[in-house]
Each structure stands twice: as structure tokens, then as C-alpha cells.
Amino acid sequence: MNLELSETQTLIRDTARKFAREKIAPRARALEREERFPTELFKELAEVGLLGVNIPARYGGAEAGVVAYALAMMEIAAADASTSVAMSVTNMCAELIHAFGTEAQREKFVTRLTSGEAVVGSFALSEPHAGSDPGALSTSAVRKGDKWVLNGSKQWITSGAYAGVMVVWARTSPAGNKGLSCFIVEGGTQGLIIGRHEDKMGLRSSNTVSLTFEDCEIPEDQLLGKEGEGFKLAMVALDGGRIGIASQACGVARAALEASVRYTKDRKAFNQPVADFQAPRFMMADMKVQLSAAELLTLRAAHMKEQGRPFTREASMAKLYASEMANRVCDKAVQLHGGYGYIDEFPVERYFRDARVQTIYEGTSEVQRMVIAREIFKLFS
Ligand code: CAA
């Protein structure tokens, strides 16, 4: 792995950094207070290529690769984790449709995602009683003439109320994992009912809803991939998605560390800046080491995916380590701010709350450990 960034990777990172600093960071606090999903930002993110970083230019993407995508996610997340999760899921949906879709599906749906016309994408896998075990999901899809009819409910759907393009998993036969299929559903389709907005601990300007499908009819050509192949599609998408969440965790942790450096240089105690005491300096040294380790794991997973090599284990390792690291780093950042870390005048309390979900969504830390352990044992079988 070349540790020097290419010209394209540097360009994407710098573009994302400029966008994040100028357009997102100044509004992040207000957006979260208002719990407002920033629809307008996504058109602009699309214009700078960030809704399809790893998608070929002919479908409106930036064609910049997975490492560039991870770098861009880190930058956007450092400004606002809420915006970054919607960006991550949109890229994930675009990549999934690009990888498994027909040419017609790519032209219609991938371009809608990369251009921002769809606003964002949604990934509808989890259900009220099937989160870590998607093989147990019960939403059904039944063929009726030239249509599929969907019935059932989905839970924890990121951007669900705003997504113009969704990928939705449903059961087409009772055969466990092998009975799942994946469908593309357009926002606004009759029979797709958007549930209430969840009142979350963090990511408060990200939209999280439940979905209900009530005799929701979609054209038969919106089956994505083959019938019965849905579980595999979900796993492939989640492998890539985990690089996105690992990158998000790195971005939030970096923001927390930078805020801590600024604050401790400025804040005085016992007649000297807090940053001059050894205890906070050591704390920040440890934060930096852990952050760098997470960044390297994340970029390595991204590099392996970009090279077309197996990266399931690496993506899970990056996601596991980076999300747990972000929680530790944000906790220390609050501590370093003392009482000011506990109020919303400083951003670290938001980082702390935003980081919490990272060990839960796109596969809990426990699921990542299952995946990593299975991959280790495969080597010895
Ligand atoms: N790539 C390709 N295929 C894969 C795969 C991968 N990474 N992982 C598994 N498969 C295949 C297996 O090879 C196997 O195929 P065969 O049947 O042909 O042999 C099949 O899938 C079943 O595999 P497993 O037996 O390993 O499946 P399992 O039921 O034991 O589940 C699991 C494994 C890793 C726990 C999986 O269920 C999982 O990842 N769960 C977590 C789900 C998750 O992450 N949900 C997040 C929701 S989305 C979200 O949060 C998005 C958001 O909005 C932010």
C-alpha cells in the first residue's frame, strides 16, 4: 500500500475539506438544534462529486476510488457526522446498484443518486425484530403479473423520509438467508409509508425513520440482482459501508482531538494553560496514536477494496477499532473540557453523542468480532 496520496485522492480530500469547513461546519450546531435534515446541502455535495466518489464518471460519479471516498468521508464527518452518514449511505446505495444492477437500472438510479436528484439514498435492511440477523427479516415480496408487491416494516432507516432511491430487502421465499431478494424502490411510491422521525441521542440532523410497505407495488424490473441473492448483496454492501462508518468515526475523533488542543491551549488553571500540564498532554498523545491507528486500518481496508482484493475482515477490523476509538477519544475530549465539555457551547458534547451509534449501526461491534473471528478461522480450515 502506497502511503502517499495520489493527485486525485488529494484533490478529493481537499475539496471535501473545503466544502466541510465552509458549508457544513458553520451550520452543524444549528442544524442539530433544529433537528433539520439539510436537503439543500446534498445537491451541492453532488456537484463536487461526493455522492458517488467511487462511481464511474459515465454514471455521474467522481471515479476517484475507495481511498478517496474514505478520505472525503473523514472530512465531512469532522464537520458534521449527521451529514456524513447520509453521504455514506447514498454512496453505498449507488455502489450497490452499480455493482449488481442492469444497465437500465444503473442509468436510471445510479445517476439519480450521484446527481443529487434523488437527494439521498436509503438502505432498508433492518426490521423491528431483525437487526444483527437480517436473515430473519419478514418483509415479503410477492410477484403479481409484471409487478412485485411488498408488505412489511423496516426500522432505523437513515434518510428514509428524504430518499428518492431506496434499496429494500424482502423475503421472496421462506428459505432463510437464501430466501431474500433486493429491490429498488423510489421514494413516494404508493404503499410506502414513512413512519415517525426517531428522537435520537446523537446524529440529530440525520433523519431516521421506520418504513411500512402496504401492498406497495413496484415494477418487476426493480429487482436488484437475482431473486434469492439478496443476502449476499447486503453483505457485500455492508463490507463497503463499514469503511464509510470507520471513516466517519475517524473524522469525528479528529474533530474532538482538535477541539481539545484548541481548548486546553486557551484555558488556564493554576496560572498556566491546561495544555502545559503533563496529564492532558499525555491524554492527547494517546488520542492521537489511537486515531492514527484507526485511520491506517481504514485506509488499508479502502485500498484493498480498491485493488479488488477480499476486504471483509479488514473492513470489519477498521469499523470495530475506529468506532470504539472514537467513543474513547470523544469521552476524553469531554473530560479535557471539564464542565464546558458537558454543555453545547462547545462541540465536544455533540461529538460524544454522535460517536455513540458508531459501535451499533452497520453491524454492532459484536457482529464485527464475529466476522473477524470467522475470517481468522477460515485461514486455518
Ligand atoms: N460477502 C459476500 N458474501 C457473504 C459475506 C460477505 N461479506 N458474508 C457472508 N456471505 C455469504 C456467505 O458466504 C454465505 O453464503 P452461502 O450460503 O452461499 O455459503 C451466506 O452469505 C450466509 O453467510 P453467513 O452464514 O455468514 O450468514 P449469517 O446469517 O451467519 O450472518 C453476519 C452473518 C455477519 C452476522 C451478518 O448477518 C451481518 O453482517 N449482520 C449485521 C447486519 C448489519 O450490519 N446491519 C446493519 C444495518 S444497515 C445500517 O445500519 C445502515 C445505516 O442506515 C447506517
Side-chain angles (χ1 to χ4, degrees), residues 126 132 134 158 177-178 231 235 238-239 242 312 362-363 374:
S126 300
S132 290
T158 300
N177 288 345
K178 298 249 188 294
F231 190 81
M235 293 300 112
L238 284 166
D239 282 347
R242 287 166 187 163
T312 298
E362 303 230 358
R374 282 183 188 187

Side-chain angles (χ1 to χ4, degrees), residues 326-342:
N327 277 274
R328 287 192 299 273
V329 164
C330 291
D331 178 61
K332 292 289 182 225
V334 171
Q335 191 69 20
L336 284 162
H337 281 68
Y340 290 102
Y342 199 62

Side-chain angles (χ1 to χ4, degrees), residues 85 88-89 92 123 125-126 131-135 156-159 177-178 231-233 235-236 238-239 242 245 312 360-364 367-368 370-371 374-375 378:
V85 71
S88 170
V89 173
M92 191 180 175
F123 188 88
L125 177 68
S126 300
S132 290
D133 181 14
W156 319 125
I157 307 307
T158 300
S159 311
N177 288 345
K178 298 249 188 294
F231 190 81
K232 185 179 143 205
L233 264 68
M235 293 300 112
V236 170
L238 284 166
D239 282 347
R242 287 166 187 163
I245 300 307
T312 298
I360 300 172
Y361 64 13
E362 303 230 358
T364 59
V367 162
Q368 307 313 324
M370 277 169 68
V371 172
R374 282 183 188 187
E375 293 289 321
K378 263 191 208 166

Side-chain angles (χ1 to χ4, degrees), residues 369-380:
R369 289 186 169 93
M370 277 169 68
V371 172
I372 297 161
R374 282 183 188 187
E375 293 289 321
I376 297 171
F377 280 93
K378 263 191 208 166
L379 293 175
F380 292 90

